Amino acid sequence: MPSTVNKQRLLTQLLTILKKRYEPLEPESRPVLEQLLYAICREGTTRALADRAFHNLKERFFDWNEVRVSSPREIAEALGEVPQAGERAQRLISLLQEVFETTFSFDLDGLRKKGVKQAAKQLARYQATNDFVVSWVVQRSLDGHAVPLDSPSLRVLRRVGLVEGDDNNLEAIRSSLEHVVPKAKAPLLAELLSALADELCVEDEPRCGSCPLCAECPTGQEALRSPAALGRVNRPKPR
Ligand code: SF4
């Protein structure tokens, strides 16, 4: 089991190596409500697709109230190529409806004054949010320390050994990771994991031979020694 020191070393290498390859843009600052809506577009997909989807929402609809009263089909069309656009459209509408019913506005910036813990608690009460969405907003708009984890990021973290075992307790995984990731590096880590998951560390047959992390990654090393191991990486364990 890697110690905290080893995890920190691995993390530093991961950040250094992947930053050279992907050079992600700085995180965009947005009002709290917009960051929430963006996070719903961003979960489980790439920054490029989420940026386009969010841009379309802002361009094609007059305001957030118009999004709230539009049909899920219209919203899904605006979301473009993001996967599960219909499901995301429904979540966006539900969230706007919940925010409107609880605040009679589309402004959540008052949460910034409540302190991170209290604000996160309030965001988590909305049915349309989840751990990823709340962590994203904590990190990007509330100046808190959080590492938002969606399934592509988790896949990479498990393969490189920064997350161990089959524990599915997302909150526990996230908080143990937050101990080894410095707050200032957390947004960069989120972008890099997402980019690697999309380009090389894909779900089926990761391209370990082309991956700059291969020398540091136990899964990559195993795959190079025995390509058949890749099948084992991806095959669900028998219960
Ligand atoms: S070496 Fe392979 S398994 Fe490891 S991070 Fe790269 S693509 Fe993923």
Side-chain angles (χ1 to χ4, degrees), residues 18-80:
L18 294 185
K19 198 174 167 208
K20 278 190 204 142
R21 184 177 185 100
Y22 295 115
E23 298 179 355
L25 300 170
E26 285 296 304
E28 200 162 318
S29 89
R30 299 184 173 90
V32 174
L33 176 68
E34 291 200 8
Q35 203 68 268
L36 262 184
L37 298 168
Y38 178 82
I40 291 177
C41 299
R42 183 71 171 84
E43 182 175 1
T45 189
T46 62
R47 180 168 181 170
L49 289 182
D51 282 359
R52 208 168 309 139
F54 192 70
H55 174 80
N56 287 348
L57 284 179
K58 294 193 78 173
E59 283 286 303
R60 296 189 192 175
F61 297 89
F62 178 69
D63 59 14
W64 295 121
N65 193 50
E66 196 190 347
V67 174
R68 177 182 73 97
V69 297
S70 295
S71 71
R73 188 182 50 77
E74 287 170 296
I75 307 296
E77 271 172 22
L79 293 179

Side-chain angles (χ1 to χ4, degrees), residues 156 159-160 196 200-201 206-208 211 213-214 217 219-221:
V156 178
R159 287 176 178 170
V160 299
L196 182 68
L200 298 169
C201 201
R207 293 161 54 203
C208 303
C211 180
L213 280 188
C214 195
C217 173
T219 309
Q221 288 298 303

